[in-house]
């Protein structure tokens, strides 16, 4: 644990809280990609298979539970809640996310740190997380206007990955044997996907105008 990882975790947690606030306060999931939320739920379920077998710390266990419960709750709400699901933009959320699933799993079988059940699913979760935001970004581009809470959600999600890059740099220089290269490279790819969004987010903040993404 270091300050950069802790900051990244807090950014990640904030992004989820913002999304839950949007759904709870507005009773709407407009502008939110169900496919991205489904991918994130799979990411956490696959990554934290060790939840009840490997204890690291109370903090670690609590964070794992929070991410699993919150991600599955969001998916359930968007699919099953009678009020919220009516606002889901199904016609805009058409990204073929099953290609991301298949490619991530195939890559996990080929490139992993150890060819075991748990390590393969860990690698799968890392690769899938790197591209899970794509359906959300495509939906926002198609819709054009981005409401404030949705923009904040994506911003904090991108900030989480940026802090984790700093975390990996710090660990590289402070740890004798640093071996999380799969996570590092995947994290760089994921952060790069946010570059266009961050640019328009900055322009919106600078000019004090509503966030808009080019179609």
């Amino acid at each position: 644990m270091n300050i950069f990882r802790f900051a990244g975790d807090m950014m990640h947690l904030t992004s989820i809280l913002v999304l839950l606030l949007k759904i709870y306060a507005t009773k709407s999931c407009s502008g939110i990609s169900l496919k991205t939320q489904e991918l994130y739920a799979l990411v956490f379920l696959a990554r934290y298979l060790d939840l009840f077998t490997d204890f690291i710390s109370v903090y670690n266990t609590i964070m794992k539970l929070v991410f699993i419960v919150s991600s599955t709750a969001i998916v359930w709400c968007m699919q099953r809640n009678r009020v919220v699901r009516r606002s889901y933009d199904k016609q805009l959320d058409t990204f073929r996310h099953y290609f991301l699933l298949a490619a991530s799993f195939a890559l996990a079988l080929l490139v992993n740190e150890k060819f075991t059940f748990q390590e393969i699913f860990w690698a799968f979760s890392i690769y899938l997380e790197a591209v899970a935001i794509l359906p959300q970004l495509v939906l926002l581009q198609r819709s054009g206007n981005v409401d404030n809470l949705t923009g904040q959600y994506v911003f904090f999600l991108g900030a989480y990955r940026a802090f984790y890059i700093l975390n990996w740099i710090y660990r590289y220089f402070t740890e004798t044997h640093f071996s999380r290269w799969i996570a590092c490279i995947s994290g760089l790819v994921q952060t790069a996907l946010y570059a266009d969004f961050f640019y328009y987010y900055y322009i919106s903040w600078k000019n004090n105008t509503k966030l808009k993404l080019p179609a």
Side-chain angles (χ1 to χ4, degrees):
M1 176 62 69
N2 57 70
I3 187 62
F4 301 114
R5 178 180 173 180
F6 181 74
D9 286 345
M10 292 304 102
M11 291 296 103
H12 197 178
L13 185 58
T14 301
S15 72
I16 292 174
L17 292 175
V18 168
L19 181 53
L20 289 171
L21 174 63
K22 170 187 169 65
I23 294 174
Y24 177 78
T26 66
K27 298 295 188 292
S28 169
C29 62
S30 176
I32 301 298
S33 168
L34 174 60
K35 295 182 177 181
T36 282
Q37 299 309 314
E38 290 173 340
L39 293 180
Y40 275 126
L42 285 174
V43 164
F44 299 132
L45 289 170
R47 182 172 304 167
Y48 300 141
L49 290 173
D50 64 346
L51 182 60
F52 299 106
T53 59
D54 300 324
F55 178 77
I56 299 174
S57 67
V58 174
Y59 170 85
N60 186 270
T61 299
I62 290 175
M63 293 301 283
K64 288 178 179 180
L65 289 171
V66 167
F67 290 136
I68 290 174
V69 172
S70 61
S71 62
T72 52
I74 290 168
V75 170
W76 179 89
C77 195
M78 292 182 68
Q79 290 181 336
R80 303 298 179 185
N81 186 280
R82 288 184 299 175
V83 177
V84 174
R85 69 182 182 182
R86 288 202 296 261
S87 59
Y88 170 51
D89 302 318
K90 187 175 182 179
Q91 293 184 340
L92 295 178
D93 193 20
T94 58
F95 193 99
R96 297 179 181 179
H97 61 323
Y98 46 82
F99 285 128
L100 302 179
L101 281 168
S104 298
F105 191 71
L107 189 58
L109 291 173
L110 296 172
V111 184
N112 51 71
E113 295 185 358
K114 188 185 298 183
F115 198 78
T116 63
F117 179 84
Q118 192 165 300
E119 286 299 317
I120 288 173
F121 273 89
W122 177 84
F124 165 70
S125 75
I126 295 296
Y127 297 137
L128 185 60
E129 185 181 19
V131 294
I133 195 63
L134 281 174
Q136 179 65 65
L137 294 176
V138 170
L139 187 153
L140 293 180
Q141 286 185 321
R142 288 174 176 173
S143 62
N145 291 328
V146 183
D147 68 75
N148 183 54
L149 287 176
T150 302
Q152 295 296 325
Y153 161 68
V154 178
F155 172 80
F156 282 116
L157 204 56
Y160 139 67
R161 298 313 302 177
F163 274 110
Y164 256 66
I165 290 178
L166 296 176
N167 161 60
W168 292 320
I169 294 173
Y170 175 85
R171 291 181 60 186
Y172 175 77
F173 287 106
T174 58
E175 295 182 10
T176 305
H177 301 289
F178 181 72
S179 60
R180 291 301 193 184
W181 295 109
I182 289 176
C184 289
I185 295 172
S186 299
L188 287 171
V189 171
Q190 183 178 358
T191 306
L193 294 177
Y194 286 91
D196 190 56
F197 175 85
F198 279 143
Y199 170 76
Y200 287 102
Y201 185 93
Y202 170 74
I203 294 298
S204 172
W205 171 80
K206 182 181 178 181
N207 297 329
N208 195 28
T209 56
K210 187 175 178 62
L211 176 61
K212 294 183 179 180
L213 299 181

